[in-house]
Amino acid sequence: MSVVFVITPHDRSAPAPDFDALLTRVDPNDAVLSVFDAGVARGDGVFETIGVNAGSARKPRSHLDRLAASARIMDLPEPDAEQWMHAIERVAGLLDPARGGVIRLVMTRGTGDGRPTCWITGEETPPEVREREHGVRVVLLDRGWPIDIAERAPWMLAGAKTLSYAPNMAALREARRRGADDVVFTSLEGYALEGPTSSLIVRTGTMLVTPTSGDGNLPGTTQRELFGWAEQNGFSTQSRRVRADEVRQADAAWLASSVRLVVPIIAIDDRTMQVDEGLTRRMNEHLLALG
């Protein structure tokens, strides 16, 4: 089942609206987006993807905070958090609670009239994700960026979740050409960054580490939730620069995202990695219990 609503953005200078009146449900097969929309023509927009389990969106406020941060970086209007929260709850309530799901929020620069184009979609997914149990093989691919890209060239929009995902998808295709499932990007200096659609987490002993978002990595909502849980369960956590060799030599490593949750890395560049099955299971159980 798929659900699609077009959202008319709330004018903040107007009285408090009926948010339902600003939601228009459309058939997923209907054409509703202009071919002149900047999101289509130039990838000029931002988005968020939220996992759904047992009929509830996981940590929607964190995703709305990140949507607003991306909009600021892109010089887009600030989304009304309460309006989008209402839309998220409407979509989540229409999905089968016995299945998993994914909600996608999208805001583009529109057609040039100064008004953004906004919509929200919901799709049902299998309740189990194979990679959580079986893991993924990854390759390290050079992103072509220096580690200080966000400071050196802010117009590259590092750290914003934009619709311009063509390089990320190309990286995944390259991984499959090399016999792998996923990617960890590296900087020109050899630091590990993030995956095309995920955050990187590395374990050494009782220390969990993720590459810092200040170096152009997207702040990970799932990673942040996991670190909060880990600190209450005997682990220390750090967000800092991580050398690629540190990932290769780690006791365990994972890719974390809103839909797949925590996926263990079982090999890097054909080199077998240790897998912490027990910790992987505990982390996913924690995330699946969240609403």
Side-chain angles (χ1 to χ4, degrees), residues 5-272:
F5 284 98
V6 174
I7 299 176
T8 301
H10 168 222
D11 180 355
R12 290 172 177 269
S13 65
D18 174 4
F19 286 140
D20 271 331
L22 300 177
L23 278 176
T24 304
R25 187 169 182 177
V26 297
D27 189 297
N29 297 313
D30 284 352
V32 295
L33 189 65
S34 168
V35 295
F36 297 105
D37 191 276
V40 174
R42 297 179 177 177
D44 192 358
V46 296
F47 77 101
E48 279 292 320
T49 302
I50 306 175
V52 179
N53 60 280
S56 295
R58 285 193 297 273
K59 296 295 179 180
R61 294 289 180 178
S62 295
H63 287 277
L64 289 172
D65 288 344
R66 195 167 67 178
L67 183 71
S70 294
R72 284 193 294 273
I73 294 172
M74 293 278 287
D75 295 322
L76 287 167
E78 182 176 354
D80 185 315
E82 295 309 312
Q83 179 178 19
W84 283 91
M85 189 67 198
H86 179 82
I88 291 168
E89 291 171 350
R90 280 286 309 275
V91 172
L94 292 170
L95 300 178
D96 184 350
R99 296 176 61 85
V102 56
I103 292 175
R104 185 177 172 96
L105 321 177
V106 184
M107 174 188 289
T108 82
R109 204 170 301 278
T111 57
D113 59 3
R115 294 179 297 179
T117 301
C118 304
W119 69 90
I120 181 171
T121 66
E123 294 182 277
E124 293 172 353
T125 61
E128 300 298 328
V129 177
R130 179 180 179 276
E131 291 94 332
R132 292 177 197 158
E133 180 178 352
H134 298 285
V136 290
R137 304 175 67 87
V138 307
V139 292
L140 300 180
L141 294 183
D142 192 335
R143 198 173 210 170
W145 287 358
I147 193 66
D148 61 348
I149 182 67
E151 178 181 355
R152 179 183 297 193
W155 51 87
M156 293 297 292
L157 305 177
K161 196 173 178 70
T162 76
L163 292 174
S164 304
Y165 254 47
N168 292 32
M169 299 301 99
L172 289 173
R173 292 193 297 273
E174 178 62 23
R176 288 163 191 144
R177 279 192 286 269
R178 300 187 186 195
D181 308 297
D182 216 315
V183 171
V184 171
F185 288 121
T186 59
S187 73
L188 291 176
E189 301 88 349
Y191 289 102
L193 299 174
E194 61 187 353
T197 62
S198 57
S199 302
L200 173 66
I201 298 174
V202 175
R203 180 178 75 79
T204 301
T206 59
M207 175 67 72
L208 298 180
V209 179
T210 192
T212 179
S213 60
D215 288 332
N217 299 307
L218 191 70
T221 58
T222 302
Q223 168 268 315
R224 184 168 65 240
E225 174 59 38
L226 281 172
F227 274 25
W229 171 85
E231 290 165 3
Q232 297 175 1
N233 286 271
F235 292 90
S236 301
T237 66
Q238 286 185 342
S239 176
R240 60 169 172 80
R241 291 179 177 176
V242 179
R243 284 281 181 183
D245 283 344
E246 184 177 348
V247 184
R248 296 186 183 98
Q249 297 163 10
D251 294 330
W254 299 267
L255 297 178
S257 61
S258 299
V259 177
R260 290 189 301 177
L261 302 186
V262 181
V263 174
I265 296 174
I266 62 174
I268 296 177
D269 292 337
D270 291 327
R271 176 180 174 179
T272 300

